[in-house]
């Protein structure tokens, strides 16, 4: 598969170029940036044969099969719609768009065009999250009563740009990290949160956008979810806990881009260390996307998954701003 990168981004350079090149027969054929100099420098640094600033020129190239969009969040909508209209398959970064209706429009456009459209929610590609999901599905914790997600990290200095100071580009910890946590919970429990209450604040990094958020979600099954995201916590560590009537799962250090961490299941019998596969999350995500394009299964996280994670995040922000419980609006997505 021949890919065009839309966005000369950090995530592409740190993970996605490698993940695409790890697929047999796949290549990164082009990069499109807002700046010609940057496009050229990025292409040279990463050995990408073609570069430019004109998205339409890239999309007119019949040799391009798929587009990976990793620009700042406000650009995703227009770029994805253009790629879909050109008949390209699209893997788009989270959050899919700035609003739920915009994200839903992307999904509908892809459906109508008959192209594969997916969201790059990497966490559901990890061996650790898949192992936790399997434990829940096998009934090892009984009925799930509650989930706790702790995802308060320290945003690396090289990423302390638009994420902490630009609402217009989709900054803030809620669109950045809460979307991931929403996807994780939906993936683990196979149900969509119904409503949320939340608080958000700026605790030293955010300038005009929140850098920390805590929220509580109600699930249709009656389970409750507690979620914490931040850019300002150097030593908190990440993880998730799933507590059920027959057992509890403690997954530590697993809210990350790397295949690391540890999982323990505690029940009346014992404390069980749970092994999991340590494959690369991004390579797995691209492999499943490419398989979906070939008609083999669906992407790890579909476009609908991206709409729904954004819907939860949007409700968290709205609830924090309004100080009230907010019912989540999934934009008509089933
Ligand atoms: P970056 O800030 O690195 O890149 C975003 C845009 O900023 C790029 O498209 C580029 O514009 C511009 N840019 C990047 N570096 C520079 C620079 N040194 N000088 C000038 N401009 C620069 O963002 P991220 O890679 O962190 O995030 C991009 C997207 O990916 C976001 O939507 C984010 O939410 C998502 N993301 C997803 C992750 C995941 O694991 N799924 C992890 C990290 C991010 P241009 O293209 O015009 O050159």
């Amino acid at each position: 598969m021949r890919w065009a990168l839309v966005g000369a981004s950090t995530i592409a350079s740190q993970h996605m170029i490698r993940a695409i090149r790890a697929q047999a027969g796949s290549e990164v054929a082009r990069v499109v940036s807002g700046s010609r100099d940057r496009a050229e420098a990025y292409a040279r640094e990463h050995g990408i044969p073609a570069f430019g600033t004109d998205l339409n020129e890239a999309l007119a190239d019949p040799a391009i099969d798929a587009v990976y969009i990793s620009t700042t969040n406000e650009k995703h909508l227009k770029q994805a719609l253009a790629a879909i209209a050109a008949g390209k398959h699209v893997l788009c970064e989270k959050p899919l768009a700035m609003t739920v209706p915009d994200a839903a429009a992307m999904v509908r456009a892809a459906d109508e065009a008959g192209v594969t459209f997916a969201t790059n929610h990497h966490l559901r590609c990890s061996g650790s999250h898949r192992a936790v999901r399997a434990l829940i599905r096998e009934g090892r914790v009984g009925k799930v009563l509650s989930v706790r997600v702790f995802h308060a990290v320290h945003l690396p200095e090289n990423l302390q740009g638009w994420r902490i100071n630009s609402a217009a580009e989709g900054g803030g910890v809620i669109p950045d990290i809460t979307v991931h946590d929403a996807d994780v919970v939906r993936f683990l429990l196979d149900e969509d949160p119904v409503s949320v209450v939340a608080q958000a604040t700026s605790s030293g990094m955010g300038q005009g956008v929140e850098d920390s958020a805590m929220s509580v979600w109600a699930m249709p099954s009656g389970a409750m979810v507690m979620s914490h995201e931040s850019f300002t916590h150097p030593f908190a560590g990440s993880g998730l806990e799933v507590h059920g009537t027959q057992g509890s799962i403690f997954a530590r250090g697993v809210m990350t881009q790397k295949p690391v961490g540890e999982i323990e299941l505690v029940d009346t019998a014992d404390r069980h260390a749970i092994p999991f596969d340590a494959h690369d999350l991004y390579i797995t995500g691209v492999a499943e996307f490419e398989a979906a394009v070939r008609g083999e299964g669906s992407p790890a996280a579909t476009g609908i998954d991206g709409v729904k994670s954004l819907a939860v995040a949007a409700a968290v922000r709205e609830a924090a701003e309004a100080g009230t419980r907010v019912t989540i609006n999934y934009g008509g997505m089933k």
Side-chain angles (χ1 to χ4, degrees):
M1 190 169 290
R2 285 167 61 90
W3 287 78
L5 304 183
V6 178
S9 67
T10 308
I11 179 70
S13 66
Q14 288 184 344
H15 294 284
M16 294 302 287
I17 292 172
R18 170 176 54 79
I20 290 168
R21 288 177 174 158
Q23 316 298 324
S26 286
E27 61 180 288
V28 179
R30 273 180 180 268
V31 58
V32 179
S33 160
S35 141
R36 184 159 188 87
D37 287 349
R38 193 168 151 68
E40 184 171 9
Y42 197 89
R44 194 178 318 111
E45 181 184 350
H46 297 290
I48 301 170
F51 62 87
T53 57
D54 187 345
L55 175 60
N56 291 328
E57 181 193 327
L59 296 176
D61 181 348
I64 297 294
D65 305 297
V67 168
Y68 167 61
I69 298 174
S70 62
T71 47
T72 48
N73 304 335
E74 88 290 1
K75 295 196 175 82
H76 296 175
L77 170 70
K78 206 171 154 196
Q79 292 167 335
L81 291 179
I84 290 165
K88 309 301 183 189
H89 304 288
V90 176
L91 176 57
C92 186
E93 270 305 341
K94 45 50 67 171
L96 282 185
M98 300 287 278
T99 69
V100 174
D102 283 353
M106 293 155 88
V107 169
R108 288 193 199 99
D111 278 352
E112 280 162 23
V115 298
T116 300
F117 179 66
T119 313
N120 203 28
H121 275 310
H122 63 293
L123 288 168
R124 60 163 76 202
C125 297
S126 77
S128 60
H129 289 244
R130 290 180 177 189
V132 172
R133 185 172 195 258
L135 290 172
I136 296 168
R137 288 164 81 88
E138 288 159 12
R140 300 283 297 275
V141 299
K143 177 177 162 49
V144 175
L145 301 169
S146 64
V147 174
R148 187 165 86 92
V149 181
F150 41 110
H151 202 164
V153 298
H154 190 261
L155 189 68
E157 208 171 313
N158 66 312
L159 296 183
Q160 291 178 23
W162 58 272
R163 271 186 181 76
I164 61 165
N165 62 23
S166 177
E169 290 167 290
V173 78
I174 294 172
D176 200 52
I177 306 185
T178 307
V179 284
H180 278 311
D181 295 346
D183 187 64
V184 165
V185 169
R186 291 188 57 255
F187 176 66
L188 295 181
L189 301 188
D190 265 332
E191 57 178 347
D192 299 332
V194 177
S195 63
V196 304
V197 292
Q199 299 264 5
T201 191
S202 178
S203 57
M205 216 182 262
Q207 300 151 37
V209 293
E210 79 288 331
D211 61 28
S212 301
M214 287 188 178
S215 52
V216 176
W217 316 343
M219 305 301 287
S221 62
M224 294 176 73
V225 176
M226 186 167 76
S227 176
H228 178 203
E229 296 83 23
S230 180
F231 289 152
T232 63
H233 287 47
F235 309 110
S238 79
L240 61 88
E241 297 172 1
V242 182
H243 303 291
T245 52
Q246 307 294 322
S248 283
I249 300 165
F250 298 85
R252 301 184 190 90
V254 297
M255 307 304 286
T256 168
Q257 297 175 310
K258 297 182 185 139
V260 297
E262 57 192 39
I263 305 173
E264 191 176 46
L265 170 68
V266 181
D267 57 22
T268 48
D270 209 341
R271 307 181 80 89
H272 315 267
I274 305 295
F276 60 87
D277 193 43
H279 56 253
D280 183 291
L281 286 63
Y282 294 94
I283 291 175
T284 300
V286 175
E288 293 180 8
F289 177 87
E290 292 200 355
V293 169
R294 293 192 301 269
E296 299 160 16
S298 60
T302 63
I304 293 175
D305 291 319
V307 177
K308 291 189 171 183
S309 64
L310 176 58
V312 177
V316 167
R317 192 177 255 172
E318 188 185 336
E321 285 170 359
T324 58
R325 178 199 294 255
V326 170
T327 299
I328 301 167
N329 179 349
Y330 288 104
M333 293 288 130
K334 293 279 179 261

